[in-house]
Amino acid sequence: MVQKALEEIKRGVAEIIDEERVVKLLKNYYENGENYYIKAGFDPTAPDLHLGHTVLIQKMALMQKYGARVQFVIGDFTGMIGDPTGKNETRKKLDRETVLENAKTYKQQVFKILDPDKTDIVFNSKWFTQMGSIGLVELTTTFNVARMLEREDFEKRFKSNTPISISEFLYPLLQGYDSVALKSDIELGGTDQKFNLLMGRHLQRAYNVGKEQAVITMPLLEGLDGVNKMSKSLGNYIGITESPDDMFGKIMSISDDLMWKYYEVLSNKDLEEIGELKRGVKDGLLHPKKAKEMLALEIVARYHDSNKAQNAKVEFDKVHAKKELPSDMDEFTLEAPIWIAKALNIIGLENSTSQARRDIKQGAVKIDGKKCQDEQLQLQKGEYILQVGKRKFAKVRVE
RNA sequence: GGUGAGAUACUCAAGCGGCCAACGAGGGCAGACUGUAAAUCUGCUGGUUUUUACCUUCGGAGGUUCGAAUCCUCCUCUCACCA
């Protein structure tokens, strides 16, 4: 039992630190029925979860089946500082209301995956506002600058003389302290979080919690561009609240290579099955597009339902493979006569009339399926279907 | 605190009195090709209905000049070296 659970848990993970402890926890669950706590922290600034987050969340959901209680930490306090990992931009201070609002959104999204009965949502401001400045200084005495500079991005920035704010040193300490306050048994995070996750271990020791958490890191999921990690600020993400059509289309647009990565960390299919698909594609028995469709169907069905997923697929084929019009389009009413470029701008298909002119020149604009050649064209009364590029459509009534 | 260097469009980065809406690279958008892809090739990438024109942009505010991203003054910010 333990062995099987461990195997499933290990799938797709980047690294497990202190695997022995994980085994112990599992054993204890099966033999004595005792639960254990797994923690993961989330930033309250961006309440929209995307598939990159779900890699982590799905893993937690899996572990809930094996005795884990999830501590879903909303970093409302730490969020004010901002994790220095990656880009460093000063964070806006979030007011209480926004944080609560975001937390609500989190709940809605997260419980599509996690079991609510086995999940605690906690805010880390709860213990940090009570800590006080003395407590904070005490926290800082547990670590030193040299060790702190071991963190890769700090080291890089230090060497290249890029400024590091003192408050950024605080971040790993605070995140680690969450594990002290919550007495977590395991903490999950992306591979870029490794340093912070290990800090939890260090602090649990320093504060004599009586245990040191194991750490499980998950690989970072690349975004749609296939290069950078999926993130909202880069715009290469697939949000779990997106419409079935958008979600389906976005998944279909990833490259074939990336598809397998997605399969590994996002699909519920077991590894053998995925291996078979992979072989099938390699041997030419299975079209890669088919394989990708299956993936897209599975994921869309998870966040919507299988009917909607199926519809999204049909719609997708209709628009892209058969080059027919989508069944749903935004509709607008404009006054006649109207200049085509202006019309495109008003209905939001183009950012400016200048951009519209350029696209018309390039033959990217279609009216009722026919290329528009004349950039001076005035639309007279009637109904038109305007299209820019392959994906942007709108129905326009001119009167 | 002292000295020096720098701030250019989404990002990086040229330009250093007129030929600058500003080289180039990345990104983005579009076209061809395809499986809607990826890769590749090509075009575009400040705005404005009148587009071999006009307007707004090169950290901010003034000034010199027929003319300034380019020169001068002050301010703000960043970096480096020294203390």
Side-chain angles (χ1 to χ4, degrees):
Chain A
M1 280 298 259
V2 172
Q3 209 48 42
K4 187 179 158 274
L6 188 67
E7 250 169 57
E8 270 200 63
I9 289 169
K10 279 170 93 169
R11 166 178 171 183
V13 307
E15 188 179 8
I16 298 185
I17 294 166
D18 202 351
E19 190 175 320
E20 278 173 41
R21 196 168 150 69
V22 178
V23 172
K24 236 187 240 170
L25 291 166
L26 286 170
K27 251 193 199 139
N28 193 32
Y29 170 67
Y30 281 113
E31 287 169 12
N32 308 319
E34 275 181 48
N35 295 106
Y36 52 94
Y37 291 95
I38 57 174
K39 169 201 152 194
F42 292 84
D43 186 345
T45 43
D48 283 321
L49 293 175
H50 54 63
L51 293 186
H53 297 120
T54 67
V55 173
L56 213 67
I57 297 169
Q58 277 180 249
K59 184 58 72 185
M60 294 200 291
L62 174 82
M63 291 175 75
Q64 284 181 326
K65 285 197 262 172
Y66 303 122
R69 277 201 73 86
V70 168
Q71 300 169 319
F72 191 90
V73 180
I74 295 184
D76 59 337
F77 188 84
T78 35
M80 292 176 191
I81 300 172
D83 183 13
T85 309
K87 298 241 164 86
N88 60 315
E89 281 167 22
T90 325
R91 297 284 172 113
K92 281 171 230 135
K93 202 172 169 178
L94 293 167
D95 59 72
R96 195 81 213 133
E97 273 174 44
T98 319
V99 170
L100 289 177
E101 195 56 41
N102 289 352
K104 223 175 170 184
T105 321
Y106 264 135
K107 274 187 208 172
Q108 278 168 8
Q109 297 179 17
V110 131
F111 288 145
K112 283 181 181 174
I113 310 171
L114 289 179
D115 180 346
D117 295 333
K118 295 178 182 166
T119 305
D120 303 314
I121 294 191
V122 287
F123 296 85
N124 66 4
S125 60
K126 189 177 160 196
W127 46 91
F128 284 126
T129 47
Q130 287 166 10
M131 181 180 243
S133 36
I134 294 176
L136 189 64
V137 172
E138 265 169 22
L139 178 59
T140 60
T141 60
T142 62
F143 216 66
N144 63 56
V145 171
R147 291 278 319 268
M148 196 59 91
L149 284 174
E150 283 172 12
R151 187 169 133 166
E152 200 186 4
D153 58 336
F154 281 149
E155 193 192 355
K156 263 190 214 147
R157 282 161 68 188
F158 189 68
K159 279 190 179 152
S160 64
N161 291 311
T162 314
I164 303 170
S165 156
I166 301 283
S167 67
E168 294 182 64
F169 275 177
L170 243 32
Y171 193 94
L173 288 169
L174 294 173
Q175 181 175 339
Y177 189 81
D178 286 345
S179 296
V180 174
L182 291 168
K183 300 187 171 58
S184 312
D185 293 298
I186 303 176
E187 179 163 8
L188 272 78
T191 49
D192 58 341
Q193 288 285 315
K194 187 170 167 184
F195 182 93
N196 295 359
L197 300 177
L198 287 171
M199 185 62 84
R201 266 170 90 80
H202 169 82
L203 289 178
Q204 282 181 332
R205 196 181 326 140
Y207 280 84
N208 295 315
V209 173
K211 52 182 163 188
E212 286 175 41
Q213 66 180 16
V215 165
I216 298 178
T217 56
M218 298 300 299
L220 298 176
L221 188 65
E222 287 93 344
L224 300 174
D225 52 26
V227 180
N228 297 304
K229 78 165 185 174
M230 187 177 281
S231 89
K232 203 175 179 192
S233 51
L234 291 172
N236 61 357
Y237 68 100
I238 305 174
I240 67 174
T241 53
E242 289 188 56
S243 74
D245 288 346
D246 285 344
M247 207 183 265
F248 194 92
K250 280 188 180 180
I251 295 168
M252 290 306 284
S253 80
I254 64 172
S255 75
D256 292 354
D257 288 339
L258 191 57
M259 163 170 75
W260 301 116
K261 181 87 184 271
Y262 275 45
Y263 253 120
E264 190 183 347
V265 296
L266 294 175
S267 171
N268 284 332
K269 285 189 176 34
D270 58 54
L271 292 176
E272 280 169 37
E273 212 173 326
I274 293 172
E276 242 168 72
L277 289 176
K278 212 167 179 175
R279 240 171 292 127
V281 168
K282 202 179 155 203
D283 299 342
L285 299 171
L286 179 69
H287 197 293
K289 192 187 169 197
K290 274 270 171 285
K292 215 182 289 176
E293 270 173 10
M294 285 160 65
L295 177 69
L297 282 171
E298 181 185 341
I299 293 174
V300 175
R302 181 179 306 151
Y303 298 107
H304 297 280
D305 58 56
S306 47
N307 269 345
K308 283 184 185 152
Q310 200 57 44
N311 287 345
K313 178 189 171 327
V314 170
E315 184 72 11
F316 186 85
D317 284 341
K318 189 171 155 191
V319 177
H320 295 288
K322 295 182 198 153
K323 305 226 180 273
E324 286 173 17
L325 296 169
S327 29
D328 279 323
M329 280 183 272
D330 290 334
E331 293 182 38
F332 299 88
T333 304
L334 300 166
E335 269 178 51
I338 185 156
W339 179 35
I340 176 71
K342 192 85 196 163
L344 289 168
N345 178 226
I346 289 172
I347 62 181
L349 256 42
E350 294 281 18
N351 290 324
S352 67
T353 54
S354 298
Q355 183 62 44
R357 296 171 84 107
R358 283 185 219 113
D359 279 341
I360 292 167
K361 262 184 218 158
Q362 292 192 95
V365 174
K366 284 182 190 162
I367 301 172
D368 294 332
K370 273 177 282 183
K371 258 184 202 168
C372 171
Q373 311 276 1
D374 178 14
E375 61 178 72
Q376 292 299 334
L377 183 77
Q378 299 287 334
L379 289 178
Q380 302 303 330
K381 279 185 192 179
E383 282 198 4
Y384 305 93
I385 287 165
L386 304 182
Q387 180 184 357
V388 179
K390 283 175 195 143
R391 293 186 189 175
K392 288 183 281 187
F393 296 89
K395 201 181 270 181
V396 170
R397 211 161 92 213
V398 181
E399 53 189 29

